[in-house]
Amino acid sequence: MMTGAIWLATLLSLGSAGMKWEPQDSHTTVRLRGVSAVDARVGWASGDKGTFVRTTDGGVTWKAGTVPGAEGLDFRDVDAFSDTTAYLLSIGEGDKSRIYKTVDGGEHWTLQFTSSTPGAFFDGMAFWDEQQGLAFSDPVEGRFLVIATSDGGATWAPLPAEAFPPALPGEAGFAASGTSIAVRAPRQAWFGLGGAAARVLRTTDGGKSWSVATTPLATGDGGGVFSLLFWSDTDGIAVGGNHQRHDDATGNLALTRDGGKTWSVPPGARPAGYRSCVARLPGAPGPTLVTVGPSGSELSVDGAKHWTSLGTPGFHAVSASPTGKRVWAVGDAGRIATLQRAPAPSPPAPSPSRPRR
């Protein structure tokens, strides 16, 4: 079996030319929007109609299920910690925004949170560890709404409204992949928005106070920040664009070198269109990043300075395991694929020898 170090070295030496998406059977046909790679063998995904899927053998087999009582919900985010423990977040106005948790591999689910705030619409969640996490909603009446847990989701409570700067008129988040919120130990967190401005809010004290920065990502109806990722306290990436124009690369990428205080567009090629999610392969230099969207996906081995195509099959979300040995992406009609090394072409057959005259 190829070790993680050898796999990463192969990826870096070959670039996207040596990688391909290998389809797997999810055993569902619903649209999948969330994915969480626990390790090389365990992964979870989530989607429409109350659906979740789980694998414990690297995707050789996936088992699909439906959360009882959630058949009408769209699970846009899944955060998993093992083959038994995972959280699901559903989107929608009113009580459609919910959080469920399982501790027995999806056999049973506990409804932990149901939104009761008029006008709220939750977009994503992220966890520092299995016990501590955040989830955020679109602003309500000009105020940001973020809830937090410190007891594994047994209780969720809103952070004080005065901890946040005012929201802009029409400002909203995006739930395309559940990754427009990110956290980093011990107390850092960020979430992205769109509308009149593509902004990122940031905390360094676990949510007690928040600052805001404007990014150069697309703005206007359908435009903004769709996914955030940080690989150090200072270095991170925001991807997005306009979800109404899948092939438009305008405003789809920005980097920060100061923890999200400022954002800029890197030089070089960019992903080919709107991108809804980005993941990093831990342990790889560069760093190595994969970004996906409905029109295709790309790989960067130099920290987003250059991108090369992984093909045109569209995905909504992507996740890499903590060791980088497994990358899964999910999309429409139950699509699941894992990133694999493409087989080397067979050498040409030798020409038959000719007799001497």
Side-chain angles (χ1 to χ4, degrees), residues 317-343:
V318 61
S319 177
S321 66
T323 62
K325 292 175 66 176
R326 179 68 66 183
V327 181
W328 275 299
V330 298
D332 288 343
R335 179 180 294 153
I336 287 183
T338 185
L339 195 60
Q340 299 279 20
R341 178 184 176 184

Side-chain angles (χ1 to χ4, degrees), residues 194-214:
R199 304 201 298 171
V200 171
L201 273 79
R202 169 178 174 260
T203 182
T204 58
D205 55 16
K208 295 179 181 178
S209 61
W210 295 78
S211 57
V212 65
T214 300

Side-chain angles (χ1 to χ4, degrees), residues 251-291:
N252 68 352
L253 174 67
L255 296 177
T256 181
R257 302 297 187 194
D258 55 15
K261 296 178 183 178
T262 60
W263 297 82
S264 60
V265 178
R270 290 186 294 183
Y274 151 71
R275 293 295 178 255
S276 53
C277 194
V278 62
R280 171 181 171 253
L281 276 62
T288 296
L289 306 168
V290 179
T291 188

Side-chain angles (χ1 to χ4, degrees), residues 34-281:
V35 62
S36 182
V38 177
D39 55 36
R41 297 183 62 81
V42 177
W44 296 70
S46 64
D48 202 7
K49 300 180 181 179
T51 301
F52 69 95
V53 295
R54 181 183 71 123
T55 183
T56 58
D57 57 12
V60 176
T61 56
W62 288 87
K63 180 181 179 181
T66 303
V67 177
E71 294 83 359
L73 300 180
D74 189 356
F75 288 122
R76 294 291 182 91
D77 195 0
V78 55
D79 282 55
F81 291 90
S82 69
D83 61 339
T84 59
T85 302
Y87 295 83
L88 294 172
L89 179 142
S90 64
I91 65 161
E93 296 182 357
D95 63 2
K96 290 185 178 180
S97 284
R98 304 180 192 178
I99 296 173
Y100 291 82
K101 183 181 181 181
T102 182
V103 294
D104 58 9
E107 293 296 324
H108 303 87
W109 292 88
T110 300
L111 176 59
Q112 294 191 318
F113 169 79
T114 302
S115 176
S116 60
T117 303
F121 188 112
F122 279 78
D123 298 292
M125 61 183 174
F127 291 82
W128 285 286
D129 54 43
E130 191 175 330
Q131 298 297 312
Q132 301 179 88
L134 301 173
F136 84 106
S137 164
D138 290 351
V140 177
E141 296 182 351
R143 291 181 175 268
F144 291 106
L145 174 58
V146 177
I147 59 173
T149 184
S150 59
D151 55 12
T155 57
W156 290 86
L159 298 180
E162 57 269 22
F164 300 92
L168 299 177
E171 196 166 34
F174 294 102
S177 63
T179 62
S180 52
I181 181 172
V183 297
R184 183 172 175 82
R187 307 295 290 164
Q188 290 178 287
W190 303 261
F191 63 92
L193 304 149
R199 304 201 298 171
V200 171
L201 273 79
R202 169 178 174 260
T203 182
T204 58
D205 55 16
K208 295 179 181 178
S209 61
W210 295 78
S211 57
V212 65
T214 300
T215 77
L217 268 65
T219 58
D221 185 24
V225 178
F226 284 77
S227 186
L228 289 167
L229 172 70
F230 282 79
W231 53 90
S232 75
D233 290 344
T234 55
D235 298 302
I237 184 173
V239 301
N242 191 307
H243 73 85
Q244 299 175 1
R245 300 192 292 271
H246 291 177
D247 298 319
D248 187 351
T250 304
N252 68 352
L253 174 67
L255 296 177
T256 181
R257 302 297 187 194
D258 55 15
K261 296 178 183 178
T262 60
W263 297 82
S264 60
V265 178
R270 290 186 294 183
Y274 151 71
R275 293 295 178 255
S276 53
C277 194
V278 62
R280 171 181 171 253
L281 276 62

Side-chain angles (χ1 to χ4, degrees), residues 22-43:
E22 184 69 31
Q24 297 180 333
D25 189 349
S26 68
H27 293 283
T28 183
T29 58
V30 305
R31 178 183 62 194
L32 298 175
R33 286 296 192 107
V35 62
S36 182
V38 177
D39 55 36
R41 297 183 62 81
V42 177

